[in-house]
Amino acid sequence: MPPNMRNSLGKPNQNRLAGFTLLELLVVIAIIGILAGLMYPAATGVMRRAESTRASNTAYNLKAAISSYFTEYRKYPVIGDREETEELRSDEELMDVLLGSDKEAEDGGLNPRRIAFYSGKQAKRGDEGKYKSGINMDDSGGGTLWDPWFDYYYIRMDLDYNNRVETPDWDTRTDSQYLPESILIWSSGKSGDQEVQSDNIRTW
């Protein structure tokens, strides 16, 4: 038998086992691309729902903290006379009180017993001095509370103590001017615009 024939019958094709062909590589890359394209929307949807759930839980926790403050001090954590329709934010003015900061325990402070009515995880740093999903605490023990979209929460309270709060203008789900609530808390969601009600997070 000729030597070249013996080699072809007795040994596997070395070139064939050397690797994939260009066509095979292109097919694999195409399949990976298709799978990634199918999984991306699903992953994005899961993350969006997780952010909304986190924001909702934080809003309800903040509402509970304000209710606990009211139970303790028989008033709401605000300074001076305010219109009930004036919306507070979860910035230093409110959160210093609820976190029990040093300055709010001083004479004239709104939390002289220095009770921490609100607690939560540390916020993540963003751009331009903004944070997301938690508390940015300062050296005095106060701080700010941020939603998952780098913004503060909105708060409206029953400051005239009549067991109802005026419905925010953007809420078109009801024709009633008032809601049977003492505390309303909401976030403007991913859009950052309260008028886009579809992604607003609210406690009522």
Side-chain angles (χ1 to χ4, degrees), residues 22-187:
L22 178 60
L23 179 60
E24 289 170 334
L25 286 173
L26 291 175
V27 169
V28 170
I29 292 172
I31 292 173
I32 292 174
I34 292 171
L35 292 175
L38 292 174
M39 292 178 65
Y40 179 76
T44 302
V46 169
M47 292 179 60
R48 188 180 298 116
R49 287 191 295 273
E51 288 179 334
S52 296
T53 299
R54 188 180 304 118
S56 180
N57 290 339
T58 300
Y60 278 103
N61 289 339
L62 180 57
K63 182 175 182 178
I66 296 171
S67 295
S68 296
Y69 179 93
F70 182 85
T71 300
E72 181 70 25
Y73 290 110
R74 307 311 302 171
K75 62 181 182 179
Y76 288 107
V78 296
I79 301 173
D81 295 330
R82 288 177 177 269
E83 294 292 330
E84 187 173 271
T85 54
E86 182 180 352
E87 294 158 1
L88 282 78
R89 306 300 302 273
S90 56
D91 55 14
E92 295 92 341
E93 182 178 350
L94 175 65
M95 297 309 299
D96 281 2
V97 179
L98 297 179
L99 292 170
S101 72
D102 296 339
K103 69 177 183 180
E104 293 298 339
E106 298 173 354
D107 290 341
L110 294 181
N111 191 352
R113 297 167 195 157
R114 196 176 288 173
I115 299 171
F117 294 99
Y118 187 91
S119 62
K121 70 174 188 175
Q122 175 66 35
K124 298 177 182 178
R125 183 186 298 274
D127 297 329
E128 300 178 357
K130 294 187 175 183
Y131 294 81
K132 66 177 293 186
S133 298
I135 300 167
N136 180 42
M137 185 169 281
D138 58 32
D139 294 339
S140 72
T144 52
L145 179 63
W146 298 81
D147 71 10
W149 305 283
F150 302 99
D151 200 1
Y152 297 132
Y153 290 86
Y154 293 86
I155 302 99
R156 185 174 288 187
M157 306 177 198
D158 177 22
L159 298 181
D160 55 8
Y161 302 94
N162 61 357
N163 299 314
R164 63 177 183 261
V165 179
E166 190 164 337
T167 306
D169 293 338
W170 55 263
D171 187 358
T172 59
R173 298 185 308 172
T174 176
D175 295 330
S176 176
Q177 183 180 357
Y178 294 95
L179 294 168
E181 301 265 355
S182 297
I183 304 164
L184 305 180
I185 297 177
W186 69 94
S187 163

Side-chain angles (χ1 to χ4, degrees), residues 1-11:
M1 180 180 294
N4 61 342
M5 182 175 293
R6 186 167 54 252
N7 290 339
S8 65
L9 293 176
K11 296 182 180 180

